[in-house]
């Protein structure tokens, strides 16, 4: 795997609150190697470990994107949703930021059918055909289109299973993580002090409740993906 310098700065992470974990009563003992201290009833995450695993994750996504691999970014809770969409769009990745529909990956044939329906309805709307239908029929199809846009809009161009999945908040996206494990899809997971660090291929210990923390981690990963894509374009 390529080793590169990703400018991961401990002071920058502290300013973003990456080091703040959950309360000491709400933690997973398996996270103890990634916790450096306790302060006013909360665990403090060891940012040196965060920097190490974030750097490893950046190396992984750089190498993968430089070989044309496809990524899916998952983060559906309110504090993560906007950052996930922006990061994914910037790096030309697929994303899910509203709700994970059970079986989205493990039952890919059903998801693919929904995507075909979604694309067909979008084409019908762009061509103006929905406007020519009876009002009741048009209303039904528009509701279907709106529903599909909400839940599948971030993966509308996905034609197969992703090569790597990036997950924000292991607890919130546990179903997505289990589907990836079942299918053998490599995962990079942002984990807080209440998570299990052994589930993902690369676990990045970090505050998964602060918008600034989530945004910082995603920004570093997205930069590495974009750098890899540039390399892939230059050396097809």
């Amino acid at each position: 795997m390529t080793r590169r310098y990703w400018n991961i700065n401990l002071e920058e992470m502290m300013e973003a609150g990456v080091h703040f974990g959950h309360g000491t009563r709400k933690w997973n003992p398996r996270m103890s190697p990634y916790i450096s201290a306790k302060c006013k009833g909360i665990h403090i995450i060891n940012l040196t470990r965060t920097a190490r695993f974030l750097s490893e994750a950046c190396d992984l996504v750089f190498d993968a994107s430089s070989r044309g691999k496809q990524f899916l970014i998952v983060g559906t809770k309110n504090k993560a949703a906007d950052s996930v969409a922006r990061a994914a769009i910037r790096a030309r990745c697929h994303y899910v930021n509203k709700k994970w529909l059970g079986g989205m990956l493990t039952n890919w044939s059903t998801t693919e059918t929904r995507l075909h329906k979604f694309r067909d309805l979008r084409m019908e709307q762009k061509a103006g055909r929905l406007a020519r239908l009876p009002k009741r029929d048009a209303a039904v199809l528009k509701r279907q289109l709106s529903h599909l846009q909400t839940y599948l809009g971030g993966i509308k161009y996905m034609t197969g299973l992703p090569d790597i999945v990036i997950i924000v908040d292991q607890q919130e996206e546990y179903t997505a993580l289990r589907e990836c494990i079942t299918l053998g899809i490599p995962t990079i997971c942002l984990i807080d002090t209440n998570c299990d660090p052994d589930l993902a291929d690369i676990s990045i210990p970090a505050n998964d409740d602060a918008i600034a923390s989530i945004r910082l981690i995603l920004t570093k990963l997205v930069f590495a993906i974009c750098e890899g894509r540039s390399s892939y374009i230059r050396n097809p």
Side-chain angles (χ1 to χ4, degrees):
M1 185 185 293
T2 305
R3 296 293 173 188
R4 295 169 65 90
Y5 176 67
W6 299 112
N7 191 28
I8 297 170
N9 186 288
L10 298 187
E11 184 176 341
E12 183 182 20
M13 287 197 288
M14 287 194 71
E15 289 176 359
V18 175
H19 58 302
F20 292 122
H22 283 287
T24 54
R25 293 182 180 180
K26 186 183 177 184
W27 77 302
N28 187 325
R30 291 184 179 181
M31 285 297 295
S32 58
Y34 309 96
I35 295 170
S36 61
K38 300 176 184 178
C39 180
K40 297 180 180 179
I42 67 168
H43 279 123
I44 303 300
I45 293 168
N46 185 333
L47 291 183
T48 302
R49 302 297 296 275
T50 301
R52 172 190 160 188
F53 290 110
L54 179 54
S55 180
E56 286 184 10
C58 287
D59 286 337
L60 175 64
V61 298
F62 173 85
D63 282 350
S65 60
S66 69
R67 290 182 282 115
K69 301 298 183 181
Q70 296 298 308
F71 301 85
L72 173 65
I73 305 178
V74 182
T76 61
K77 64 183 182 182
N78 289 337
K79 290 183 178 179
D82 286 345
S83 297
V84 165
R86 289 174 185 169
I89 290 168
R90 180 185 164 199
R92 303 196 309 280
C93 298
H94 311 295
Y95 68 94
V96 174
N97 73 333
K98 293 300 180 186
K99 179 183 179 182
W100 183 267
L101 303 177
M104 191 173 279
L105 297 181
T106 50
N107 196 359
W108 175 249
S109 60
T110 299
T111 301
E112 204 166 25
T113 299
R114 289 173 178 163
L115 287 172
H116 283 308
K117 175 71 172 176
F118 181 31
R119 294 180 192 122
D120 289 345
L121 283 174
R122 289 179 74 231
M123 289 178 64
E124 293 285 311
Q125 185 182 51
K126 287 181 179 179
R129 296 191 187 99
L130 296 187
R132 296 196 290 270
L133 292 174
K135 285 187 178 180
R136 182 176 293 179
D137 294 343
V140 169
L141 292 177
K142 284 178 180 177
R143 279 197 299 272
Q144 287 183 17
L145 182 58
S146 176
H147 182 270
L148 291 168
Q149 175 62 44
T150 298
Y151 297 113
L152 301 180
I155 63 168
K156 59 180 174 283
Y157 299 119
M158 201 158 86
T159 56
L161 293 174
D163 298 296
I164 294 177
V165 176
I166 298 169
I167 295 174
V168 177
D169 192 339
Q170 180 192 99
Q171 295 266 315
E172 189 78 18
E173 314 303 343
Y174 186 73
T175 302
L177 178 59
R178 292 306 312 180
E179 289 192 31
C180 292
I181 292 170
T182 298
L183 294 168
I185 299 172
T187 53
I188 295 168
C189 200
L190 194 156
I191 56 167
D192 212 319
T193 54
N194 62 334
C195 296
D196 184 344
D198 300 326
L199 294 180
D201 292 273
I202 297 181
S203 292
I204 304 170
N207 183 346
D208 64 12
D209 290 319
I211 294 173
S213 173
I214 294 168
R215 186 181 297 134
L216 177 62
I217 299 298
L218 287 177
T219 296
K220 299 298 183 184
L221 292 171
V222 159
F223 177 77
I225 291 171
C226 291
E227 287 289 292
R229 291 215 195 284
S230 297
S231 173
Y232 178 66
I233 291 169
R234 290 195 301 268
N235 305 294

